[in-house]
Amino acid sequence: MTIRSLSIAIAQLNPVVGDVDGNLEKARTARGQAAALGADLVVFSELFLSGYPPEDLVLKPAFQEAVRAAAEALAADTGEGGPAVLIGAPWAEAGALHNAALLMAEGAIQAQRFKRLLPNFGVFDELRVFRPGPPLEPIEFGGARLGVMVCEDMWAGGPASELAEAGADFFLVLNGSPFRKTVYAERADAVEDRRREQGKAMLYVNQVGGQDSLTFDGASFAMRSDGTRAAAAPAWREGVFLTRWSRAGGVWEPEAGDVTPAPAGLEAVYAALTLGVRDYVDKNRFPGVVIGLSGGIDSALTAAIAVDALGPDRVRCVMLPSRYTSEESLRDAKACAKKLGVSYETIAIEPAVDAFDRMLKPAFGANDPAPGPDLAAENIQSRIRGVLLMALSNKFGPMVLTTGNKSEMSVGYATLYGDMNGGYNPLKDVYKMEVFALSRWRNGAKPGGGLGPSAEVIPPAIIDKPPSAELRDDQRDDDSLPPYETLDAILDGLIERELSLAEIVAEGHPEETVRRVEHLLYVAEYKRRQAPPGPKVTVRNFDRDRRYPITNGFRDAR
């Protein structure tokens, strides 16, 4: 009998790296849901059983054995009927470790396909741990010849050509594709390249969830051979979604289903930040978070993200005023906490500041400058705040969220062991001007799945006032830095686009300013190496993408 249709379920799920037993149970639950939908096959994402990316954990023999045992147990389940399984897992074969896709049916692993192209750029370093697989061949299943690929195999093109030449009817791609602001355009371009070259339909399955500094948006889809979307799963949401495929005239195509557009722009960035916080806190089993709420925009946006991620009951906000904290900041912080519905308290740092002054006076001696705060005194205030927040974390268990943005972290406008103290930084990859934009966006919209209020959450006074660290009288950020509009544009050239000094000057920026920003960027590397992780949203984040030396004598002389 000629089979003319297949029902294939997308398992768009959130695995936990290293939790092999938990990921196996997730797979079993999803397979049960796929069975209820009438699926013939359920497809999971890249390295699902281990979680993605497992980094060097995957080199541990005991971990490899645990994954193999889980895969064999899942394969055995298929002997009891129900849908077959196509799932990603690390797989040792003939002395080599591979990034594999395993087809399970009738109680056994029926076929294996090993990832051909191992990325070694940006956040990826798979060549460090895996061995490339042999040329790909289709897998016979349900009357179709499935062109199974793993992530990069689709993006680059060669493996798709191998499969097409070997007679694949359509492509199934298991992905671990992390989010960045450019990702939807990049995916669309890669998919269109494969469609134009091969003229075949595709099922693209991506994971969802946060893993350290990476977030995964899901947004899985089925695409027809003409490039149109037949079905698209919601971004940023777990679920099992059924696609139906039929063959006519010898060509397999997905049938029309639900197409959920992925959010774009600020909405997508906010979703990534929220998911990054939620999964980092929950997967590492913290009861909640504690935040130093200063009355400034960075801490206000951080608090809003935390509330949307975790709910107000799991967010504790603390105002830590000094003699330089303005009445305006006290009022604004309190108003922000009230709008968010979070726990809020005040702990004055002045007694500790006075104690440090007394303790250090003999050591500073004749080197103590004229009355008034210098850099050492400013940083002592910040470090006192860090000590207090960490004390609350140690005493009650919540993790400290730091609040510095990418503009500040780029040029070292942050205090090591002070405002950099904490376990996770939601704004680490968000430039200052985008902090303003996200704050305005959040005041006018409630994000999907957000646990915070629908109304305005950040008082407009916080957004409108000039940024200040308030570590001395009448301090403003632009006393020490170029205006953020200028600073962010220069940093975009230096970091995201790797432009030369001359190219950035040609865009209209003063050469002296560009040289100063470049110098600050390089000398702050030692601080960034000690900073907590935070969710990647730009093309080049500081955690995994941009790996510069700390000791670095280079300056662009052009």
Side-chain angles (χ1 to χ4, degrees), residues 307-464:
V307 168
D308 283 325
L310 306 171
D313 293 343
R314 298 178 67 192
V315 178
R316 182 176 186 175
C317 289
V318 186
M319 167 53 104
L320 301 158
S322 74
R323 72 188 73 171
Y324 304 110
T325 302
S326 66
E327 288 298 322
E328 182 182 27
S329 291
L330 291 167
R331 182 182 65 245
D332 291 343
K334 186 175 182 179
C336 184
K338 184 175 180 181
K339 286 177 178 289
L340 289 168
V342 297
S343 164
Y344 178 75
E345 63 207 283
T346 298
I347 304 174
I349 69 168
E350 207 59 38
V353 173
D354 291 341
F356 271 95
D357 285 345
R358 292 192 301 271
M359 292 162 58
L360 288 168
K361 188 172 183 179
F364 285 171
N367 294 321
D368 202 13
D374 61 0
L375 181 60
E378 291 182 20
N379 286 340
I380 284 170
Q381 295 173 65
S382 181
R383 290 181 177 125
I384 289 169
R385 291 181 170 121
V387 167
L388 294 173
L389 291 172
M390 288 304 299
L392 293 172
S393 175
N394 293 159
K395 189 73 172 178
F396 301 106
M399 182 184 68
V400 178
L401 289 183
T402 64
T403 63
N405 60 69
K406 189 171 186 177
S407 305
E408 295 170 348
M409 295 304 301
S410 296
V411 295
Y413 195 63
T415 302
L416 203 56
Y417 322 123
D419 58 345
M420 291 173 64
N421 259 11
Y424 200 69
N425 181 0
L427 304 183
K428 182 174 182 176
D429 204 30
V430 181
Y431 289 106
K432 185 72 171 191
M433 295 308 297
E434 192 163 35
V435 170
F436 286 108
L438 286 166
S439 298
R440 294 188 181 99
W441 177 84
R442 178 58 182 88
N443 272 353
K446 182 177 180 181
L451 302 177
S454 299
E456 176 183 277
V457 293
I458 299 175
I462 290 179
I463 301 174
D464 295 337

Side-chain angles (χ1 to χ4, degrees), residues 191-317:
V191 169
E192 174 57 22
D193 286 346
R194 301 295 83 73
R195 186 205 67 79
R196 187 176 60 253
E197 293 163 0
Q198 312 304 336
K200 296 188 182 297
M202 178 185 298
L203 185 69
Y204 182 102
V205 178
N206 191 27
Q207 76 176 39
V208 68
Q211 171 59 27
D212 296 347
S213 60
L214 300 180
T215 60
F216 299 86
D217 57 299
S220 306
F221 60 86
M223 183 199 72
R224 300 183 184 93
S225 60
D226 64 3
T228 59
R229 298 285 175 100
W236 307 108
R237 202 181 89 195
E238 283 191 281
V240 176
F241 309 95
L242 191 67
T243 66
R244 300 185 187 280
W245 295 69
S246 57
R247 184 173 64 179
V251 177
W252 285 89
E253 298 279 8
E255 299 175 3
D258 294 333
V259 177
T260 306
L266 295 173
E267 182 181 3
V269 171
Y270 197 91
L273 302 178
T274 304
L275 181 61
V277 170
R278 179 183 298 133
D279 274 8
Y280 195 83
V281 172
D282 287 347
K283 289 181 178 181
N284 289 292
R285 301 179 183 178
F286 288 98
V289 296
V290 59
I291 302 167
L293 194 64
S294 68
I297 192 169
D298 294 324
S299 64
L301 179 58
T302 298
I305 291 167
V307 168
D308 283 325
L310 306 171
D313 293 343
R314 298 178 67 192
V315 178
R316 182 176 186 175
C317 289

